[in-house]
Coordinates of all heavy atoms in Angstrom, one line a residue:
C421 N 22.1 92.4 136.6 CA 21.0 92.3 135.6 C 20.6 90.9 135.3 O 19.4 90.6 135.3 CB 21.5 93.0 134.3 SG 20.2 93.1 133.1
F422 N 21.6 90.0 135.2 CA 21.3 88.6 135.0 C 20.4 88.0 136.2 O 19.5 87.3 135.9 CB 22.5 87.8 134.8 CG 22.3 86.3 134.5 CD1 21.8 85.9 133.3 CD2 22.5 85.3 135.5 CE1 21.6 84.6 133.0 CE2 22.3 84.0 135.2 CZ 21.8 83.6 133.9
D423 N 20.8 88.4 137.4 CA 20.0 88.0 138.5 C 18.5 88.5 138.4 O 17.6 87.7 138.7 CB 20.6 88.4 139.8 CG 19.9 88.0 141.1 OD1 20.0 86.8 141.4 OD2 19.2 88.8 141.7
A424 N 18.4 89.7 138.0 CA 17.0 90.3 137.9 C 16.3 89.6 136.8 O 15.0 89.3 137.0 CB 17.1 91.8 137.6
V425 N 16.9 89.3 135.7 CA 16.3 88.6 134.6 C 15.9 87.1 135.1 O 14.7 86.7 134.9 CB 17.2 88.5 133.4 CG1 16.6 87.6 132.3 CG2 17.3 89.9 132.8
T426 N 16.8 86.5 135.7 CA 16.6 85.1 136.1 C 15.4 85.0 137.1 O 14.6 84.1 137.0 CB 17.8 84.5 136.8 OG1 18.9 84.6 135.9 CG2 17.6 83.1 137.3
H427 N 15.2 86.0 137.9 CA 14.1 85.9 138.9 C 13.0 86.8 138.5 O 12.1 87.1 139.3 CB 14.7 86.4 140.3 CG 15.7 85.4 140.8 ND1 17.0 85.6 140.7 CD2 15.5 84.2 141.5 CE1 17.7 84.6 141.3 NE2 16.8 83.7 141.7
R428 N 12.9 87.2 137.2 CA 11.8 88.0 136.7 C 11.6 89.3 137.4 O 10.4 89.8 137.6 CB 10.6 87.2 136.6 CG 10.7 85.9 135.7 CD 11.0 86.2 134.3 NE 10.0 87.0 133.6 CZ 9.0 86.5 133.0 NH1 8.8 85.2 132.9 NH2 8.1 87.2 132.4
K429 N 12.7 89.9 137.9 CA 12.5 91.2 138.6 C 12.7 92.4 137.7 O 13.5 93.3 137.8 CB 13.6 91.3 139.7 CG 13.4 90.2 140.8 CD 14.5 90.3 141.9 CE 14.4 89.3 142.9 NZ 15.5 89.3 143.9
Y430 N 12.0 92.4 136.6 CA 11.9 93.5 135.6 C 10.5 93.5 135.0 O 9.7 92.6 135.2 CB 13.0 93.3 134.6 CG 12.8 92.1 133.7 CD1 12.1 92.2 132.4 CD2 13.2 90.8 134.0 CE1 11.9 91.1 131.6 CE2 13.0 89.7 133.2 CZ 12.3 89.8 132.0 OH 12.1 88.8 131.2
K431 N 10.2 94.6 134.3 CA 8.9 94.7 133.7 C 8.9 94.8 132.2 O 9.9 95.4 131.6 CB 8.2 96.0 134.3 CG 8.0 95.9 135.8 CD 7.4 97.2 136.3 CE 7.2 97.2 137.8 NZ 6.6 98.5 138.3
E432 N 7.9 94.3 131.6 CA 7.8 94.5 130.1 C 7.8 95.9 129.8 O 7.2 96.8 130.5 CB 6.5 93.8 129.7 CG 6.2 93.8 128.2 CD 5.0 93.1 127.8 OE1 4.6 92.1 128.5 OE2 4.3 93.5 126.8
G433 N 8.5 96.3 128.7 CA 8.5 97.7 128.3 C 9.7 98.5 128.8 O 9.9 99.6 128.4
E434 N 10.5 97.9 129.7 CA 11.6 98.6 130.3 C 12.8 98.5 129.3 O 12.9 97.6 128.5 CB 12.0 98.0 131.6 CG 11.0 98.4 132.7 CD 11.5 97.9 134.1 OE1 12.1 96.8 134.2 OE2 11.2 98.6 135.1

Side-chain angles (χ1 to χ4, degrees):
C421 186
F422 183 71
D423 182 73
V425 170
T426 301
H427 296 97
R428 301 298 298 270
K429 295 178 181 178
Y430 65 95
K431 297 177 181 178
E432 183 176 327
E434 288 184 325

